[in-house]
Amino acid sequence: ENLYSVKMRAARKGKHISGGEKIVLEQEVESVVQQLTIRALDHSKGRPDFINITIQNIADETIEYIAPLDITTIMVDDYIQGRECAVKVLQKIGLSYKASQTILNILKTCNPMRGAVLLDIHSLERIEPDKDRGLRATNIDWSFRLKKDLDSVLEKEGLNNSHVKEAVALASKVSNASGIVAELCWSDDPHYVTGYVASQNTGYVRISKLKALGDATGGRIFCFDASKTSIEACIEYLQEKVTLVNK
Ligand code: PML
């Protein structure tokens, strides 16, 4: 199979606005470039003055296939309740109450970045090498062979939107990285208030409201346990390994 990675990022005055990535067959490259261009030009998050699209061929033998995390959804009345719920799920994963609160507070206050915060769960320090850019988990998508099936499965569950699809693929890779014990995420899209906590032991736990409508803060926190592996190995896996998720 001839596969290509297509990546888009859009910025204004050097600040991240939006991004996206797909791994597709050669014949899909053109339409995916168009789709990602439309997303980049969506002005709801501000008009970009810079759009970068890269197209790169991927060697078959470098690809890793993984299973997706199971998805559950918790409905909450408002984001206050949602955030309490997120702290509980983080504690269930094994993080202390203090660590869980710290994780939540960082996401509440961090500026939208291209990448994620990498947080050491023992020192509670941010350890991503580039604090402005964050750590980008990239080279991830659903396996093209099964995409149609996936759409019908997600549709039945009322989950067939690009936020969910992209987030589940990414969280499945992130939770598979050695050293990562949990992830907390909500979107920086002001119109999208659902977020999640993910880990190998809980799966992908969606929480219906994690922020107020209109709030443009959001992003991802990857929680790292340094006793398990080196930071370098973890970062290398998250950024470089080409991972396709199979349903
Ligand atoms: C994003 O698209 O920016 C992140 C969305 C995370 C939640 C997706 C969901 O499960 O609804």
Side-chain angles (χ1 to χ4, degrees):
E1 244 88 40
N2 210 3
L3 290 182
Y4 285 82
S5 138
V6 184
K7 290 180 185 159
M8 175 281 287
R9 68 191 170 93
R12 180 174 177 78
K13 296 199 165 83
K15 272 181 62 188
H16 166 80
I17 297 181
S18 67
E21 163 178 24
K22 305 259 177 241
I23 296 170
V24 295
L25 289 166
E26 185 173 352
Q27 59 267 31
E28 296 170 306
V29 170
E30 195 180 326
S31 72
V32 161
V33 167
Q34 190 181 16
Q35 238 177 290
L36 290 173
T37 309
I38 291 169
R39 183 188 300 185
L41 291 171
D42 166 11
H43 300 161
S44 66
K45 292 202 263 172
R47 191 182 296 273
D49 60 17
F50 174 84
I51 299 168
N52 178 294
I53 292 187
T54 53
I55 305 168
Q56 199 173 3
N57 187 240
I58 295 169
D60 258 0
E61 61 278 9
T62 62
I63 301 174
E64 158 196 64
Y65 290 88
I66 62 170
L69 292 173
D70 287 333
I71 306 173
T72 50
T73 302
I74 299 176
M75 300 302 291
V76 291
D77 295 335
D78 55 38
Y79 75 92
I80 312 273
Q81 203 184 343
R83 288 176 179 185
E84 280 165 12
C85 176
V87 167
K88 288 209 186 94
V89 180
L90 288 167
Q91 287 178 272
K92 190 172 157 211
I93 293 168
L95 295 166
S96 67
Y97 178 74
K98 186 176 169 214
S100 307
Q101 281 292 348
T102 306
I103 293 160
L104 185 72
N105 285 334
I106 293 173
L107 195 51
K108 268 194 238 175
T109 51
C110 86
N111 288 324
M113 305 189 285
R114 275 169 68 194
V117 169
L118 187 62
L119 190 82
D120 184 306
I121 57 158
H122 301 294
S123 68
L124 300 182
E125 302 276 336
R126 288 177 62 166
I127 52 171
E128 70 277 13
D130 183 337
K131 304 276 182 307
D132 294 324
R133 183 174 175 271
L135 168 61
R136 279 282 284 151
T138 68
N139 292 316
I140 173 79
D141 200 355
W142 290 92
S143 158
F144 59 93
R145 276 183 279 277
L146 297 152
K147 258 187 189 143
K148 289 227 170 61
D149 288 352
L150 172 76
D151 283 350
S152 63
V153 171
L154 290 179
E155 207 148 312
K156 264 192 228 132
E157 296 167 11
L159 297 174
N160 197 8
N161 73 54
S162 64
H163 284 279
V164 182
K165 262 195 279 187
E166 288 175 17
V168 172
L170 187 127
S172 300
K173 176 174 180 182
V174 170
S175 70
N176 194 51
S178 77
I180 302 288
V181 292
E183 179 190 352
L184 171 68
C185 164
W186 64 76
S187 185
D188 54 16
D189 179 339
H191 306 297
Y192 200 87
V193 298
T194 303
Y196 65 87
V197 178
S199 73
Q200 285 291 323
N201 70 49
T202 56
Y204 181 91
V205 182
R206 305 178 72 228
I207 299 172
S208 63
K209 294 184 185 120
L210 274 178
K211 70 173 191 179
L213 199 64
D215 181 351
T217 62
R220 293 188 158 83
I221 317 265
F222 302 158
C223 306
F224 181 72
D225 182 350
S227 67
K228 301 222 162 100
T229 185
S230 74
I231 301 178
E232 292 74 21
C234 178
I235 292 180
E236 157 95 15
Y237 173 78
L238 290 173
Q239 290 185 336
E240 309 303 335
K241 187 74 195 167
V242 178
T243 306
L244 289 179
V245 180
N246 265 323
K247 178 102 178 169

